Amino acid sequence: MDLRSIDLNLLVALDALLKERGVSRAAQRLALSQPTLSASLARLRRHFNDELLHRVGNQYVLTPLAERLAAMTGDTLNGAERIFTSQASFDPATSQRLFTLLTTDYGLAEAASAVCSAIEREGPRMRVRLRHITPEFAERGAEGLRSVDGLLMPHGYLPDLPHLDLYQDRWVCVVSADNAQVGDELTMHDLVTLPWVDAFGGPGGSTPAARQLRLLGVEPTVMVFADSFLGVPFLVAGTNRAALLQERVARRIADRPDLRTLECPFDAVPLTEAFWWHPVYTHDLEHVWLRGLLTEMFPQPAQ
């Protein structure tokens, strides 16, 4: 298709119409008149030969084609914005870059605040948008990272993408303080017989420590899957469940009387927290600066 024959302003209108699911709200979003957006919708319907939005009762519903388009328009506009805001040189003191970072709640608690403060210090006009990741998003891999600047996530969930290792954390085990099935020490037999809470487990990936357990012949009976690391203590306390938990998180809950933190009965592979990005940003000047900042914040120990 020859893009010269298409009014690319229609992409902006399409994105707003699909996100707002209505002409009136889309017009407000773009600060345009309703007749203007109605005309754009008519042109889009002719182009795609599809209604895109159709009324069901008192609301508009996306057609199947519109559902597919909605998953693409945001990424496309983000890419266009990056193209037209790119500069030949970069000065963090004057840049107005908005960095969009995905993170788990663990990354938010342990690293994100410090990262935001460092960016604010070096680039006072820069901003950061933090979004929570789900296992389903992690399954999209490179596709999911194309529309954001990066992701704070442990190893074990993403394919071979560019990344910068930040720090390591030990795994410990947590059980309820009143769990009579567990003595002073946790045993491999306990790991087999106890029900488990698994954070960010499932088809999308798992931590190296969890995979290590399976290699040792232990297949935990997972009763609860949680899209949260920090939520694990609440799902263990007062139950007979057990869970692997990052030592940094365990330190935060050390004064809770309803939990016990125990050493793992196997030599658990440490968790490695990393910053991941899509290859399209590898040479982006502002992105290179951000990765340099992270390298200064999280220096790697000498080998």
Side-chain angles (χ1 to χ4, degrees):
M1 178 178 292
D2 187 353
L3 289 178
R4 291 175 297 180
S5 66
I6 298 178
D7 179 1
L8 294 181
N9 286 316
L10 288 175
L11 180 60
V12 178
L14 177 63
D15 182 64
L17 286 163
L18 299 184
K19 280 186 169 64
E20 299 297 338
R21 302 193 177 208
V23 174
S24 298
R25 292 192 300 273
Q28 293 175 359
R29 180 188 184 111
L30 298 178
L32 296 173
S33 68
Q34 188 168 331
T36 298
L37 257 291
S38 294
S40 295
L41 177 58
R43 293 174 64 188
L44 288 164
R45 282 170 167 167
R46 288 195 298 271
H47 174 81
F48 289 107
N49 191 27
D50 186 270
E51 282 294 295
L52 300 177
L53 296 165
H54 62 94
R55 187 179 288 277
V56 176
N58 294 323
Q59 62 184 359
Y60 282 101
V61 176
L62 301 187
T63 65
L65 173 61
E67 292 281 5
R68 297 201 303 273
L69 294 173
M72 296 186 283
T73 54
D75 290 353
T76 303
L77 286 175
N78 284 335
E81 182 180 3
R82 294 194 186 285
I83 290 172
F84 288 103
T85 56
S86 296
Q87 302 293 324
S89 61
F90 167 62
D91 179 6
T94 59
S95 172
Q96 299 185 49
R97 174 74 169 257
L98 170 63
F99 288 109
T100 300
L101 305 178
L102 299 173
T103 180
T104 63
D105 54 357
Y106 169 73
L108 185 68
E110 297 298 330
S113 178
V115 171
C116 292
S117 297
I119 292 173
E120 183 181 7
R121 214 167 32 246
E122 301 292 328
R125 301 177 69 183
M126 294 184 187
R127 295 163 297 153
V128 181
R129 174 186 290 126
L130 296 173
R131 291 166 49 190
H132 190 267
I133 190 173
T134 63
E136 291 75 19
F137 191 99
E139 289 176 29
R140 295 171 59 193
E143 178 192 353
L145 287 179
R146 183 181 288 274
S147 61
V148 298
D149 287 290
L151 164 64
L152 293 170
M153 187 91 179
H155 280 260
Y157 299 89
L158 292 170
D160 187 19
L161 288 168
H163 63 274
L164 174 67
D165 290 344
L166 303 181
Y167 59 85
Q168 286 194 337
D169 199 354
R170 289 180 65 245
W171 288 105
V172 295
C173 293
V174 289
V175 297
S176 182
D178 58 1
N179 190 335
Q181 293 179 243
V182 179
D184 294 335
E185 295 181 353
L186 203 64
T187 67
M188 294 297 287
H189 178 72
D190 292 330
L191 300 187
V192 175
T193 57
L194 291 172
W196 277 74
V197 175
D198 190 2
F200 279 88
S206 60
T207 64
R211 292 200 296 271
Q212 182 184 2
L213 262 182
R214 295 182 176 92
L215 289 174
L216 292 173
V218 176
E219 188 65 44
T221 303
V222 179
M223 301 302 294
V224 181
F225 293 94
D227 297 351
S228 164
F229 289 111
L230 300 187
V232 166
F234 299 96
L235 298 169
V236 170
T239 76
N240 62 343
R241 304 178 195 124
L244 287 170
L245 190 66
Q246 299 93 332
E247 187 176 38
R248 290 172 182 242
V249 178
R251 289 194 196 120
R252 293 174 179 268
I253 60 169
D255 58 347
R256 286 189 55 159
D258 55 350
L259 287 170
R260 280 194 291 159
T261 300
L262 302 169
E263 288 293 319
C264 294
F266 64 101
D267 189 15
V269 177
L271 172 149
T272 300
E273 181 77 349
F275 176 72
W276 307 79
W277 67 91
H278 192 281
V280 297
Y281 301 126
T282 296
H283 302 296
D284 178 287
L285 292 180
E286 291 164 308
H287 207 280
V288 170
W289 172 84
L290 174 62
R291 299 198 306 268
L293 185 68
L294 291 173
T295 301
E296 293 177 4
M297 293 178 62
F298 301 99
Q300 299 301 301
Q303 298 296 319

